[in-house]
């Protein structure tokens, strides 16, 4: 489990395609504090650390992704030099600053529009048709692993407002119109939708 509060931005330093694709990721994390087998969210996708080594003031860790993960998330577009939002798994007693995020991407969104709004940035996102009913104004959503509040929702998708800190400390600030992003809807919305469907069925 995660909270959607990004703790580092990593950089892909190696990609090795195969039956499973291996990504080597540089981050400022202390390798002594990251166990082999630990879960780390990579732009909203929960992946398992399979190797690690110290690298300067940080570390390089390796993860693997199966073909389905590459097809259903933005991880399939990663290349050397790509930046990813990183968050380590939630520990008991940690501050829950965002919302409960599972690291399981529900679908891909497309950035419809980006507009400055005073000191913040307004971003409109087109969401898959099946996710639109699960997104509510003032509700929570994770975009590339970042916990955000939905400012408005329509038949195509939703909007969010990005403060300067979020833009500067995550990959959200580098998004452009037409970019694809990983979406994870509020977990509560998923279960409510499932319960209503079962009742109607």
């Amino acid at each position: 489990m995660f909270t959607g509060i990004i703790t580092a931005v990593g950089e892909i330093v190696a990609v090795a395609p195969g039956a499973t694709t291996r990504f080597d990721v540089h981050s400022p994390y202390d390798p002594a504090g990251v166990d082999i087998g630990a879960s780390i969210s990579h732009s909203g996708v929960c992946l398992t650390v399979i190797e690690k080594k110290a690298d300067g003031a940080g570390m390089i860790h390796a993860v693997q992704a199966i073909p389905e993960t590459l097809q259903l998330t933005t991880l399939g577009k990663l290349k050397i030099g790509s930046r990813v939002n990183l968050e380590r798994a939630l520990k008991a007693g940690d501050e829950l600053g965002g919302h409960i995020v599972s690291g399981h991407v529900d679908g891909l969104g497309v950035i419809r529009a980006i507009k400055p709004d005073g000191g913040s940035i307004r971003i409109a996102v087109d969401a898959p048709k099946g996710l639109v009913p699960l997104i509510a104004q003032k509700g929570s959503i994770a975009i590339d692993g970042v916990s955000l509040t939905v400012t408005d929702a329509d038949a195509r998708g939703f909007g969010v407002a990005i403060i300067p800190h979020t833009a500067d400390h995550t990959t959200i600030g580098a998004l452009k119109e037409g970019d694809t992003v990983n979406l994870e809807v509020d977990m509560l919305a998923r279960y409510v939708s499932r319960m209503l469907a079962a009742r109607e069925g």
Side-chain angles (χ1 to χ4, degrees):
M1 289 294 185
F2 306 92
T3 68
I5 303 300
I6 303 305
T7 54
V9 174
E11 180 179 347
I12 304 299
V13 295
V15 180
T20 58
T21 295
R22 172 182 167 130
F23 297 101
D24 287 5
V25 186
H26 178 270
S27 77
Y29 291 144
D30 179 357
V34 178
D35 294 332
I36 300 299
S39 295
I40 297 179
S41 171
H42 295 69
S43 289
V45 183
C46 178
L47 298 173
T48 301
V49 176
I50 60 170
E51 291 181 17
K52 65 172 182 175
K53 65 178 180 181
D55 185 68
M59 64 177 280
I60 292 176
H61 69 270
V63 293
Q64 292 175 310
I66 63 174
E68 182 179 5
T69 301
L70 301 180
Q71 293 166 8
L72 299 179
T73 73
T74 61
L75 266 59
K77 296 182 178 181
L78 293 180
K79 57 184 183 296
I80 294 174
S82 294
R83 298 167 73 241
V84 289
N85 295 319
L86 300 177
E87 182 189 355
R88 298 185 57 193
L90 180 66
K91 296 179 180 178
D94 283 353
E95 180 180 352
L96 185 58
H99 71 285
I100 295 295
V101 177
S102 69
H104 301 154
V105 172
D106 292 306
L108 296 174
V110 177
I111 303 301
R112 183 196 317 168
I114 300 177
K115 297 179 180 179
D117 183 14
S120 64
I121 303 170
R122 294 276 181 173
I123 299 180
V125 183
D126 286 337
K129 186 177 181 180
L131 295 187
V132 170
L134 305 180
I135 302 170
Q137 186 176 9
K138 306 302 181 185
S140 296
I141 193 160
I143 298 179
D144 282 348
V146 181
S147 173
L148 297 167
T149 299
V150 176
T151 57
D152 55 272
D154 57 31
R156 293 176 57 184
F158 63 96
V160 292
I162 308 299
I163 63 172
H165 178 86
T166 302
D168 293 341
H169 291 87
T170 73
T171 62
I172 299 292
L175 290 175
K176 304 180 298 297
E177 292 181 7
D179 281 351
T180 303
V181 291
N182 295 319
L183 300 179
E184 182 182 333
V185 300
D186 191 339
M187 192 178 299
L188 179 61
R190 272 193 232 154
Y191 283 108
V192 170
S193 175
R194 177 61 177 164
M195 290 169 63
L196 291 174
R199 182 177 296 175
E200 291 172 1

